[in-house]
Amino acid sequence: MAMRSHPFEILQEKLDSTILGEIRLMEIEKGAFLYQPPQRITPIFEIVAGVIKIGSYSPEGEEVCYDILKPGDFFGNLQFLNGQFSEFSKALCPVRLRVYEHSLFMKLTREVTEFGEWFNYQLVSRWCRAEDRLFAVRSMGAVEKVRRILPHFQERVVDSQGKNVQLLKLCTFQDIADLTGLSRQTVSKVLKPKAEASTSPFSRKRARV
């Protein structure tokens, strides 16, 4: 089955307006946090437009990036993991989200077959992405690690204000370092030729982060 970007299209075909009214839209500004540790019980969020960074904090209090999420991805409600995990979610540009309360989301995955299939597809996709990154971290050199991850970030997305942005331009060298198991300095050295070229995926301002 071809997966649609926004599963709400599925729900609009299957549900009446009363249930649809329980799913709300929200918008957040660039740099805003939806939640941070130690908060664990949240709604489930679906990205409609924009980009979200999820991660946690090092013992020194620095952000550590786990993943960069784009339209069609979901996140939130860490009670799925029995409270054993905590994270933050941060908007990297203006973002529009759909908000599903946990009980409603689980009801929809059980009762609306196509919606449940979308949810399973997303879970498997995220799992495979994580495994691919782990393989790269464990088996490749610095240059190969960065080259392997870059194609994922070449995609362009639309934020909640209708602006078309390249995913990579929203990231810092540290974000790429976190996702590849490298240091920021190593990523900077690998990408330095790009940073000096006019086709660089990073702006000079980002390169100094």
Side-chain angles (χ1 to χ4, degrees):
M1 181 185 73
M3 293 291 129
R4 281 172 274 192
S5 296
H6 300 308
F8 192 69
E9 296 173 4
I10 299 171
L11 300 180
Q12 285 179 310
E13 295 173 0
K14 305 291 183 179
L15 303 177
D16 62 37
S17 59
T18 301
I19 298 178
L20 290 175
E22 298 181 40
I23 304 167
R24 59 189 176 89
L25 281 172
M26 70 177 294
E27 298 199 10
I28 57 174
E29 298 178 351
K30 178 180 178 179
F33 288 87
L34 270 165
Y35 54 80
Q36 297 189 71
Q39 184 180 2
R40 288 182 168 83
I41 299 176
T42 73
I44 294 172
F45 301 96
E46 174 212 342
I47 303 176
V48 178
V51 180
I52 290 284
K53 175 167 75 172
I54 57 172
S56 192
Y57 295 98
S58 71
E60 294 75 28
E62 298 177 347
E63 291 185 7
V64 178
C65 178
Y66 292 158
D67 207 352
I68 304 295
L69 307 180
K70 60 185 186 300
D73 285 332
F74 71 94
F75 62 100
N77 204 296
L78 304 176
Q79 71 181 29
F80 273 125
L81 301 174
N82 298 318
Q84 298 173 4
F85 188 67
S86 62
E87 67 183 24
F88 68 75
S89 58
K90 180 180 182 180
L92 297 186
C93 62
V95 174
R96 181 178 300 115
L97 302 161
R98 284 197 182 91
V99 185
Y100 303 80
E101 293 305 323
H102 174 257
S103 58
L104 174 62
F105 189 89
M106 297 310 297
K107 176 183 173 67
L108 294 175
T109 59
R110 291 192 303 265
E111 298 182 2
V112 182
T113 302
E114 286 186 280
F115 188 81
E117 290 176 350
W118 165 83
F119 181 56
N120 290 332
Y121 175 84
Q122 291 291 331
L123 284 176
V124 172
S125 296
R126 293 271 287 278
W127 178 22
C128 290
R129 191 162 73 206
E131 287 188 329
D132 186 65
R133 289 176 182 168
L134 179 60
F135 170 78
V137 167
R138 296 289 296 175
S139 64
M140 297 181 177
V143 174
E144 289 76 17
K145 289 177 184 179
V146 175
R147 285 178 177 171
R148 189 179 184 91
I149 201 173
L150 284 181
H152 173 74
F153 292 95
Q154 297 300 329
E155 183 176 346
R156 303 188 72 87
V157 300
V158 177
D159 68 19
S160 64
Q161 298 178 352
K163 182 179 179 181
N164 191 288
V165 294
Q166 187 179 16
L167 205 57
L168 192 55
K169 287 188 176 181
L170 301 177
C171 302
T172 65
F173 284 148
Q174 186 59 56
D175 293 334
I176 301 301
D178 293 340
L179 294 173
T180 54
L182 300 169
S183 69
R184 185 190 65 79
Q185 291 79 9
T186 300
V187 171
S188 178
K189 288 179 181 178
V190 172
L191 293 176
K192 187 176 180 181
K194 291 180 177 292
E196 293 174 346
S198 60
T199 57
S200 169
F202 291 93
S203 68
R204 293 189 179 276
K205 181 178 180 181
R206 284 287 180 184
R208 294 195 295 270
V209 175

